[in-house]
Amino acid sequence: MEKLKNNFKLTDGLLILGMIAPIAVGALLKILFIPAAEGVEISGAHIFFTIPLPLGGLPITETQVNQWLVLISLFFLCRYLTHGLKAVPDKNRQHLAEWIVEMTEKLVKDNMGDYFADFAPFIGAVLGLSAFSSLLSLTGLFPPTSDLNVTAGWAILVFFLITYYKMKCGPVQYLKSFAEPVPFLAPLNVISEFATPVSMAFRHYGNILSGTVISVLLATALQGLSQLVLGWLPGFLGEIPLFRIGLPAVFSVYFDIFSGCLQAFIFAMLTMLYVAGGFPAEEYFKRQKLKNSKKTKLIRNSEVM
């Protein structure tokens, strides 16, 4: 029994290490390969190296590396929360894991209906990946969600899902939907169809990037204010960053934590609403009912024969 407990604790320790190690690796890569900025510098993701390809080079950027680090940390977080599950929970982490699952399933059911109940894992993944990617800025690393390539990739995936469910009744029914409510609005409906992923990508990217930029500007302004107020003092007293003690953390509560989690929630909500809203449920279930009735008739006829 004692050996089992020790093995359980050892596994817990390794899982916690698996959560923390990717962030430490990201910080080490930043120290070793990204030159320190002098003054205020607001730039995109650093390019570590480029893989030569026949049609052009493939740059491996800070965004891609940090995105994988977040994925690895999330994987070990999920493994930690689900380690040692029991029929009757006896650990707080299992209560937390069950609460996350129940809330995600309820969110999907309330916004998408029973037909999309299996969407809960996907929506949970969207929420977790988006939120933790944005919160990466708290560690001083480049948040992947402040790169348009990342949010655009997610938006394109959602666009394919929307199109897939819109075509559940066939391509003809899908094309007819562009002529609703009146045919002359078809051009606007086509534009609206392609504007959906564009708006989702730019909304998420713009809010996270703007929060990062404002945080940097505020920190620089507070540093300048500290020098203005204390700069006349002799020695190290004039170099004390008085207004950078605590205040950046207060601003970070909104720009990094609240805004990052809010944008993750908004992206997930838009995904659910667009997919469920584009699904022609009434027509689909009507066709399914007709198909089932035809199958029943065929079975009965075969039995009579």
Side-chain angles (χ1 to χ4, degrees):
M1 183 64 69
E2 188 66 26
K3 184 178 180 181
L4 289 175
K5 287 183 179 179
N6 291 335
N7 289 338
F8 188 88
K9 291 180 180 179
L10 176 61
T11 304
D12 271 356
L14 292 175
L15 292 174
I16 293 173
L17 180 62
M19 288 187 281
I20 299 173
I23 309 303
V25 169
L28 183 62
L29 289 175
K30 184 173 182 178
I31 294 171
L32 294 177
F33 297 102
I34 301 176
E38 297 181 2
V40 181
E41 181 178 342
I42 300 172
S43 58
H46 177 75
I47 299 176
F48 289 110
F49 58 91
T50 301
I51 301 175
L53 295 174
L55 299 178
L58 174 64
I60 303 301
T61 68
E62 196 176 2
T63 298
Q64 295 161 296
V65 173
N66 289 354
Q67 186 74 100
W68 275 104
L69 296 178
V70 171
L71 284 170
I72 294 170
S73 292
L74 275 175
F75 171 77
F76 282 104
L77 174 61
C78 293
R79 291 289 297 165
Y80 175 77
L81 292 176
T82 56
H83 182 221
L85 291 179
K86 295 182 179 179
V88 180
D90 60 349
K91 293 182 176 60
N92 290 330
R93 67 175 120 174
Q94 184 170 344
H95 287 292
L96 176 61
E98 291 182 357
W99 178 81
I100 293 172
V101 172
E102 289 172 359
M103 292 302 295
T104 305
E105 290 179 345
K106 183 177 183 299
L107 183 68
V108 172
K109 184 177 179 180
D110 291 345
N111 291 281
M112 302 184 78
D114 294 331
Y115 180 79
F116 291 96
D118 293 338
F119 249 70
F122 176 74
I123 296 301
V126 169
L127 282 167
L129 184 58
S130 175
F132 279 91
S133 294
S134 300
L135 293 175
L136 196 64
S137 60
L138 294 173
T139 64
L141 300 179
F142 183 83
T145 44
S146 62
D147 190 326
L148 182 59
N149 294 296
V150 171
T151 56
W154 297 351
I156 291 171
L157 174 61
V158 172
F159 175 72
F160 285 140
L161 285 173
I162 295 169
T163 305
Y164 170 77
Y165 281 99
K166 280 187 175 182
M167 295 184 69
K168 274 287 189 176
C169 292
V172 175
Q173 183 68 26
Y174 172 67
L175 293 175
K176 283 183 179 179
S177 66
F178 289 106
E180 296 176 356
V182 287
F184 70 83
L185 289 179
L188 292 178
N189 289 333
V190 172
I191 294 173
S192 175
E193 189 80 358
F194 291 99
T196 297
V198 174
S199 64
M200 290 182 70
F202 275 95
R203 179 186 290 110
H204 200 334
Y205 154 76
N207 280 281
I208 300 303
L209 178 64
S210 63
T212 303
V213 171
I214 292 173
S215 295
V216 172
L217 293 176
L218 283 173
T220 305
L222 291 172
Q223 176 65 30
L225 183 61
S226 299
Q227 292 179 353
L228 180 65
V229 174
L230 302 177
W232 58 275
L233 294 175
F236 73 93
L237 294 175
E239 299 176 359
I240 296 176
L242 177 64
F243 295 103
R244 291 191 66 176
I245 301 174
L247 283 177
V250 174
F251 292 123
S252 178
V253 170
Y254 174 77
F255 292 115
D256 292 324
I257 300 176
F258 176 74
S259 180
C261 294
L262 178 63
Q263 291 308 314
F265 179 75
I266 291 174
F267 193 90
M269 283 295 297
L270 290 175
T271 299
M272 291 186 287
L273 295 176
Y274 283 137
V275 171
F279 175 57
E282 185 176 349
E283 181 67 22
Y284 176 76
F285 291 125
K286 182 180 177 181
R287 293 190 177 199
Q288 289 297 110
K289 186 177 180 180
L290 184 61
K291 286 181 180 179
N292 292 334
S293 64
K294 288 181 178 180
K295 287 181 181 179
T296 304
K297 286 181 181 180
L298 288 173
I299 292 173
R300 288 177 180 174
N301 291 335
S302 63
E303 289 176 351
V304 172
M305 295 293 291

